[in-house]
Amino acid sequence: MNFDAPYCLLLAGPALYLVWRWRGSSAPTTALRLALVVLVVLALAGPRWQRGTQGRDLVVVVDRSRSMPAGAEATALERIRLAEAAREHGDRVGIVTFGADARIEALPDEGSRDRGFTLAIDADGSDLAGALDTALELVDAERAGAFLVVSDGEVRGASPLSAARRARARGIPVHVLPQARPPVSDISVERLDLPSEVAAGEPFQFGAWLFADAPGQVAYVLSRSGTVLSRATRELRSGWNRILFRDVLDEAGIGVYQLRIEGAGDRVPENDFGLGAVLVRGTKPILIVNHDGRPDTLSETWREAGLDVVVATPEAAPLDALGLAGFRAVVLENVAARRLEPALPALAEFVTERGGGLLMTGGKASFGIGGYQGSRLDPLLPVSMMLENEDRKVGVAIAFVLDRSGSMGASVAGGRTKMDLANLGTMAAIELLSGLDSAAVIAVDSSPHTIVEPRLVTSHSAFRERVLSIESAGGGIFVRTGLDAAVEVLRDTDHANRHIVLFADAADAEEPDGVLELARELHATRNTSLSVIALGTEFDADARFLTETALAGGGSIYFATNPEELPALFARDTLTVARSAFIEEPTGAVPSPAIFGLGELALDDFPVVDGYNLNYSRADTDIGVRTTDEHAAPLFAFHHEGLGRVAALGCEVGGTFGAGFVAWHDAGRFLVTLGRWLAGQEEPAAFYPTVTRNGREAVIGVEVDRATAPDTSGLVARLRSPRGDWTEHRLERVTQDRFEARVLLEREGIHLGTLSVPGEDGETVVTLPPIALPYSPEYERPFSAQSGERSLQEVARAGGGEVDPLGDAVWPAARARSATERISRPLALTVLLLALLELAGRRLGLWAALADRRERPRPAAESHTPRAPRPPAAAAPVSKTASVADAISSAKSKAARRTSR
């Protein structure tokens, strides 16, 4: 036993004196006090108990960052297997993997199994120091341990040497196994020196910086937004090399440049790519998306009023995040949601995060009937598309034909199968139906199986148990067989409107003969439409056949690559068919005072519209025009959403049902005012933003003109990653006129941003220059074949380990390791128990009771040795006074013993 504070033992002398000075009147009290003093002094001295343990721990620390060469993980797993084979009884192996962060892949254990790396890590970093600290936490202090680091040595962040020294101080050697790339030279594109922003039509020059380990010739290609601008070869000298380029951008938006080195064959091909972007400031047009991309009444009206307009089809329009940066607003003019499906998330953030405008006009391919209910744009619109039951005149009969072939039994995330998700999708659709509607469910493999006969949807629970119990059975789906079964079950329904939903595998849809003819006949003569939900992509073997089937049946085609999207697709198709409405009767409308919210627009009347989409009002929405029919529906509504503006016009502008609106004498004035409201305000000129990058860190800076700037107390920058995530960063004042925020870039690609400026009329938006992270910082210089290995050698020296240890050398030599354990806590607990015992003995009279029990004579019946009878003695006179005095003296003695200290 040893002590942390042995000098505290000197207190024993004074403590023993105090025990003798205030000793109790009874022996038990004195003994307990003596024990208490001895234990208290020992506890203060911090005693430790020496003990030993058997067994060793090996923690393998594996680098899984992007810079690791191919095959490194296989090498690490092989070393783990060899270490497990070389261990003895009681030895344990643990695994820590790391990138920018560390993860405990496996706690130290004695079992052997096929190991793999399953935990997700951030591969854009190499924090070896953090990984070693994590490994230290896994090795018990009383066990012998060692580390084996498998890495390329190209570490980022804190130096791992301090962590290696801490391990060595605990007697844990740190071995290293370097994983180097081939020892050949490397050429890297370091950066593109583009200006932060340029004016539209302004020529500018920029440079590309390349770094070469050795001189040589390379070929490069420069492109802008997919268009090749320059292709050439260049002789490089060892070190830095600069190539100059010139360009001019005619339209506002964002120009994205890519420089790629071709055929370099160098050590790190990942850094042979450069990426840059420039903000082009200028007048941004309004993008009109219509069904054919041709000029129409709306676009011509705005052009005549001086508004810049671009017209395109959904397929040709630049509706991604970068493309939308070149527009002030977007108009969706009677185009179906299925043609815009991939662009809907980008359109939503264009409005809410980047301050853009959005207008949706009416028609039979718009709003609910166009499939927008439940889409990403639904919550943004100032009107609700959910049709109430009391507004539905007739119901619909729907037959769900489900593929339950063998491919539907494949597992997906969450332990479910594709069939399970198709069942959930069917129920999601049925739950949108009401007592006006009927539904039937048919499962098909090589033959049809009617799961639910046609019945009115008066109770959703009547369907749930049967639908959710459908299982995959094998074979492939026979499409014609399934459709024939659907036609048969719908034959006897009383509903005039009928619809079939066919769910099939886009790569395995059999029996196509006669399907298109049947679909056309159903749609043309039997008032039965047909939609297809296909699991797969439009490039799969049977995708074209399924698409043609849906078009022939007058329905929609949906492709889902992720099975988890199925419930939403089933629900969307049902909403389109059963719960949307387009009023085809001429209907009057009247403006309301809220129309002044668009600007200086006074309307005395509004035309009779030939047809309109039936929508409903939402809270906090300005209703500019209402219909005069029984619905009193919002025909035109608008509001602010996020940082942007959104409007909904329920009638067509021209087209089949828009002639009356176009003929209205105030149509032009109304549309021009609406267009200017959508475009919003110009960006405030008092802010001059810049964005620079150093490694993964972006510095967002804003210079402010104090003479004209509004309030600068709440400047907030919002940054969009290439993955679509938005983060918010408050800018701090660094000088009198400059504000900054520093942001760590998490993903490679183009990062877009906006600056939110508070004002009296709400927030305004300033577009930030884009910033590019071409590749992970893991591939940035210094990155050489020798630097990483030298770094690992230093770690091994600091940690007292070896470089590439052979065989069982990774295990510590000693199997037993002595260790000490503090025993102050059990001593303190013992002191507490003894103190309670001493107090109870005094206050409850335990010691006196024990003494009385010892003094009390035993009864005669308990005596084992017979005693001779005493001879009678002469009676002596007893004094009454003496007997009373003796009794009082005895009572005092007992009381003194009970209350003695």
Side-chain angles (χ1 to χ4, degrees), residues 102-399:
R103 293 285 184 270
I104 300 174
E105 189 75 40
L107 292 169
D109 60 48
E110 299 182 34
S112 294
R113 59 184 184 275
D114 292 334
R115 298 182 186 268
F117 303 130
T118 59
L119 297 182
I121 56 101
D122 183 355
D124 292 315
S126 299
D127 186 11
L128 178 55
L132 290 175
D133 285 335
T134 301
L136 276 170
E137 297 175 1
L138 299 183
V139 180
D140 296 337
E142 65 271 14
R143 290 178 65 90
F147 297 159
L148 175 62
V149 176
V150 183
S151 173
D152 61 0
E154 298 292 338
V155 299
R156 307 282 172 178
S159 170
L161 299 182
S162 297
R165 294 188 185 101
R166 287 193 295 273
R168 184 175 187 175
R170 283 185 49 183
I172 301 175
V174 181
H175 308 296
V176 298
L177 180 61
Q179 298 293 296
R181 295 203 177 208
V184 297
S185 62
D186 182 51
I187 301 171
S188 61
V189 180
E190 293 296 307
R191 65 179 185 273
L192 299 181
D193 277 343
L194 286 158
S196 295
E197 58 183 70
V198 297
E202 172 192 357
F204 62 96
Q205 177 177 285
F206 64 97
W209 287 95
L210 281 63
F211 189 90
D213 290 345
Q217 187 181 75
V218 297
Y220 64 84
V221 177
L222 176 71
S223 60
R224 171 175 30 90
S225 302
T227 301
V228 175
L229 301 180
S230 176
R231 184 188 299 271
T233 59
R234 174 71 179 265
E235 288 289 339
L236 301 182
R237 63 177 180 271
S238 180
W240 291 95
N241 298 265
R242 186 187 187 197
I243 306 175
L244 288 177
F245 301 101
R246 292 178 177 83
D247 198 16
V248 59
L249 296 168
D250 296 324
E251 298 178 351
I254 293 176
V256 179
Y257 293 84
Q258 298 175 336
L259 179 66
R260 183 175 297 278
I261 299 174
E262 294 185 337
D266 57 6
R267 185 177 63 256
V268 189
E270 293 86 354
N271 60 22
D272 295 350
F273 170 77
L275 182 67
V278 59
L279 175 64
V280 186
R281 294 201 180 273
T283 303
K284 295 182 180 180
I286 298 175
L287 173 63
I288 297 179
V289 182
N290 60 22
H291 72 286
D292 58 6
R294 297 177 181 177
D296 54 17
T297 301
L298 180 60
S299 63
E300 291 303 309
T301 300
W302 280 349
R303 283 196 177 110
E304 290 176 3
L307 294 176
D308 289 332
V309 178
V310 173
V311 184
T313 63
E315 294 76 17
L319 294 176
D320 60 348
L322 291 172
L324 288 171
F327 299 98
R328 297 284 294 276
V330 177
V331 179
L332 303 180
E333 195 173 13
N334 197 23
V335 289
R338 59 183 174 81
R339 297 180 65 184
L340 292 163
E341 188 68 39
L344 294 182
L347 280 170
E349 72 174 25
F350 171 70
V351 173
T352 59
E353 304 292 348
R354 299 165 68 179
L358 176 67
L359 168 66
M360 183 178 291
T361 67
K364 285 198 170 183
S366 190
F367 292 102
I369 198 171
Y372 287 95
Q373 188 168 351
S375 72
R376 289 291 297 272
L377 298 188
D378 186 357
L380 274 62
L381 293 173
V383 293
S384 170
M385 294 172 280
M386 178 61 76
L387 187 65
E388 304 296 337
N389 286 334
E390 57 268 23
D391 292 319
R392 299 177 65 198
K393 305 303 181 183
V394 295
V396 62
I398 301 183

Side-chain angles (χ1 to χ4, degrees), residues 354-657:
R354 299 165 68 179
L358 176 67
L359 168 66
M360 183 178 291
T361 67
K364 285 198 170 183
S366 190
F367 292 102
I369 198 171
Y372 287 95
Q373 188 168 351
S375 72
R376 289 291 297 272
L377 298 188
D378 186 357
L380 274 62
L381 293 173
V383 293
S384 170
M385 294 172 280
M386 178 61 76
L387 187 65
E388 304 296 337
N389 286 334
E390 57 268 23
D391 292 319
R392 299 177 65 198
K393 305 303 181 183
V394 295
V396 62
I398 301 183
F400 297 91
V401 180
L402 307 181
D403 177 1
R404 73 166 193 177
S405 61
S407 61
M408 294 299 111
S411 298
V412 295
R416 296 177 295 190
T417 66
K418 296 178 181 179
M419 193 74 249
D420 293 334
L421 293 172
N423 297 342
L424 290 172
T426 304
M427 273 312 305
I430 292 173
E431 288 172 353
L432 293 172
L433 303 176
S434 69
L436 292 172
D437 312 304
S438 68
V441 181
I442 303 168
V444 182
D445 38 52
S446 55
S447 60
H449 308 272
T450 302
I451 307 299
V452 180
E453 295 285 348
R455 64 173 64 179
L456 291 176
V457 188
T458 55
S459 171
H460 298 144
S461 60
F463 290 83
R464 185 172 293 109
E465 182 177 355
R466 292 187 180 183
V467 171
L468 297 182
S469 64
I470 301 174
E471 296 181 351
S472 171
I477 183 172
F478 281 23
V479 176
R480 178 58 189 264
T481 298
L483 293 183
D484 286 339
V487 171
E488 185 64 28
V489 299
L490 291 177
R491 187 187 308 277
D492 298 328
T493 61
D494 297 329
H495 293 82
N497 298 321
R498 302 172 183 181
H499 183 64
I500 299 173
V501 179
L502 172 65
F503 169 65
D505 190 332
D508 186 22
E510 302 180 27
E511 202 182 29
D513 293 342
V515 168
L516 297 183
E517 292 77 6
L518 175 61
R520 292 190 188 99
E521 179 191 354
L522 291 173
H523 183 51
T525 64
R526 305 191 195 182
N527 203 27
T528 302
S529 57
L530 169 64
S531 291
V532 177
I533 299 176
L535 190 57
T537 71
E538 58 186 1
F539 304 106
D540 286 337
D542 297 315
R544 183 174 180 178
F545 158 60
L546 294 176
T547 301
E548 292 175 349
T549 299
L551 294 177
S556 301
I557 176 71
Y558 307 89
F559 287 100
T561 56
N562 182 359
E564 295 186 354
E565 299 173 355
L566 292 177
L569 295 181
F570 273 90
R572 179 175 299 179
D573 184 69
T574 302
L575 286 169
T576 302
V577 173
R579 300 186 67 80
S580 60
F582 186 84
I583 307 299
E584 299 188 23
E585 302 170 357
T587 306
V590 293
S592 73
I595 200 73
F596 285 101
L598 287 181
E600 297 181 0
L601 179 65
L603 295 179
D604 297 327
D605 62 349
F606 204 83
V608 173
V609 294
D610 301 320
Y612 73 95
N613 294 81
L614 177 58
N615 297 311
Y616 297 86
S617 302
R618 277 183 168 156
D620 302 324
T621 293
D622 292 319
I623 307 300
V625 180
R626 284 190 182 273
T627 63
T628 57
D629 60 4
E630 59 181 325
H631 304 296
L635 188 64
F636 173 69
F638 59 100
H639 69 173
H640 288 80
E641 183 67 28
L643 298 176
R645 305 177 176 204
V646 187
L649 179 62
C651 62
E652 285 189 87
V653 181
T656 306
F657 297 93

